[in-house]
Amino acid sequence: MNSTDSPLLPEVKKFLSKEVHGGFINGQEIQASNGDTFETRDPGTGERLATVASLQADDVDRAVETAGKAFANADWARLSANERGVHLQRLADAIETRKEIIAQIEALDCGKLLEQARDDVQNFIDTMRYFCVLSQNLSLHIPIPVKEHDASVFRHPWGPCGFIIPWNFPFLLCGWGIAPAMAAGNTCIVKPAEDTPLSTLYVAHLAKEVGIPDGVLNVVPGYGETAGAALSNNPGIRRMSFTGSPEVGRLVAENCGRNLVPVKLELGGKGAAVVFDDVDIPEAAEKLVTAITFHTGQVCCDATRWLIQEPIYDTFVNECVDRLKAVRIGYQMDEETQMGPVVSKTQHQRVLSYLEKGVETGAEIVLEGGVAGTGHGGHYVKPALLAGSLDNVAAREEIFGPVAYLAPFKEESDGLTMANNTPYGLANSVWSQDIERCNRIAAQFDSGNGWINSHNVVVHGVPYGGIKQSGMGGGVGSTETLLDYYRNISVIRPL
């Protein structure tokens, strides 16, 4: 591994020097049943970071069985919310004391800027603490006033819950999944993406260290077609959550459907930013440029379609072009870098191929993207802007890179119609100094989230989820999320 701009902590070097990073089942590190491994690589250099056990279907089945036994026999599910909260707050504390260690591991593993990785670690901590407090204030027995009956609903944890998390926000999304599930008393089996398993494995060892009972948190690294498929196919799972592409989400939903296991899907997006002609042009341009370059555009809720009212179209586009040209592309551990690499060679090729397909099918190049040279090797691309018909492949399909597609609109109704004309439905934003208009437009978006004069706004306590090809089965980050991890039983006595 290159020694680059930000020196690695001794604890990080020690962690990465491990010969093989095993899976984590029943409080123990384990190797794959057949001995298989895979390598994770630094996206910024292309060099090997670590060797990781590639767990097989029988290993995953063992993890689910372990989680089932821990749910049935360990004290975790029977503890009060306050008692579980003590364990989970200790885990949050342990992560907080190792924040820089985990941030460096995360930045190296997925190519995320170090400062953004620090924010993700803090988000995990905040998520864990949020659901601890929320669960402690949630009533598990709710009387229901009905005529001539004594009736109530009791809430219970489901049991073993499966999580398949993606490579773009591995640590943050691990927290979004396991925090509400564990706070409610469930046990967990987490399958991290094969590109980015390291931070999830690290936190599993921390859970053991702070005293969370064996079998409550299990991590099964491996390939999607083996470990991921085995997890979503396992009938011992009582609740399933998947975050990733719509294509894989359909497969996970099919697997869960055969076993009648409820599934939550958080999928892709093709978000629109509807920019009206009364905006502060430099301010709005800066915010959208920051959004599209954040984590090199590898954000499902990003604004990748910029719909700009005609009177300011040229001025706004020119402002964005100038700002995008000035973005400093470089290695993710360099504190001066503003945009790092994409996660892998596969993703690098995907972004470049969409630029080619977009132009081949009629898109105008507003700002040419392509390969970015940094001197570090790795998988770097330049920001790009395309324009033209919204029927273009680059305007319809999720690219997952620093690419936005531009189109002008005339009237307010045109902008709203264009924003909603997509098979996705995750998040859109509206930009105007007229707050009444902003509220009117945001409330009519055909999406799970509508943001005003900003983008990528996710706040604890506010539901976040998608519709259409962007997801199903509930959102994350709110009371509704916690309730997803309880099953209800209605108890009724005739009077």
Side-chain angles (χ1 to χ4, degrees), residues 455-471:
H455 208 92
N456 297 336
V457 186
V458 182
V459 180
H460 288 109
V462 181
Y464 169 87
I467 61 173
K468 301 191 289 188
Q469 287 191 24
S470 291

Side-chain angles (χ1 to χ4, degrees), residues 352-410:
L352 297 178
S353 70
Y354 265 107
L355 293 176
E356 292 177 2
K357 288 187 290 186
V359 173
E360 288 171 357
T361 52
E364 170 198 352
I365 299 175
V366 178
L367 176 64
E368 188 173 11
V371 177
T374 65
H376 288 292
H379 315 301
Y380 298 91
V381 295
K382 299 175 185 177
L385 296 177
L386 301 178
S389 168
L390 291 180
D391 291 329
N392 188 279
V393 64
R396 300 294 294 175
E397 298 182 12
E398 187 175 37
I399 299 173
F400 231 52
V403 182
Y405 199 97
L406 317 181
F409 71 91
K410 291 183 179 181

Side-chain angles (χ1 to χ4, degrees), residues 293-460:
T293 56
F294 175 70
H295 196 24
T296 321
Q298 299 168 120
V299 183
C300 57
C301 59
D302 218 340
T304 54
R305 294 177 298 140
W306 296 357
L307 312 176
I308 305 155
Q309 200 162 26
E310 285 183 351
I312 64 165
Y313 181 85
D314 290 337
T315 304
F316 189 85
V317 170
N318 290 335
E319 183 79 23
C320 292
V321 167
D322 290 343
R323 291 174 183 274
L324 284 168
K325 285 180 177 178
V327 170
R328 292 190 299 274
I329 302 170
Y331 188 62
Q332 68 266 26
M333 303 298 283
D334 181 353
E335 298 280 6
E336 298 301 313
T337 293
Q338 294 177 313
M339 191 177 84
V342 293
V343 73
S344 65
K345 182 178 180 180
T346 298
Q347 190 61 23
H348 191 257
Q349 293 172 338
R350 175 186 175 90
V351 174
L352 297 178
S353 70
Y354 265 107
L355 293 176
E356 292 177 2
K357 288 187 290 186
V359 173
E360 288 171 357
T361 52
E364 170 198 352
I365 299 175
V366 178
L367 176 64
E368 188 173 11
V371 177
T374 65
H376 288 292
H379 315 301
Y380 298 91
V381 295
K382 299 175 185 177
L385 296 177
L386 301 178
S389 168
L390 291 180
D391 291 329
N392 188 279
V393 64
R396 300 294 294 175
E397 298 182 12
E398 187 175 37
I399 299 173
F400 231 52
V403 182
Y405 199 97
L406 317 181
F409 71 91
K410 291 183 179 181
E411 304 298 330
E412 176 180 309
S413 59
D414 300 326
L416 179 62
T417 298
M418 292 162 69
N420 289 339
N421 183 20
T422 172
Y424 292 98
L426 186 53
N428 298 321
S429 57
V430 55
W431 304 74
S432 172
Q433 295 188 52
D434 184 340
I435 298 304
E436 182 178 337
R437 173 164 61 185
C438 286
N439 285 324
R440 181 170 63 248
I441 293 293
Q444 295 181 80
F445 281 141
D446 195 13
S447 62
N449 303 278
W451 296 319
I452 294 174
N453 291 328
S454 192
H455 208 92
N456 297 336
V457 186
V458 182
V459 180
H460 288 109

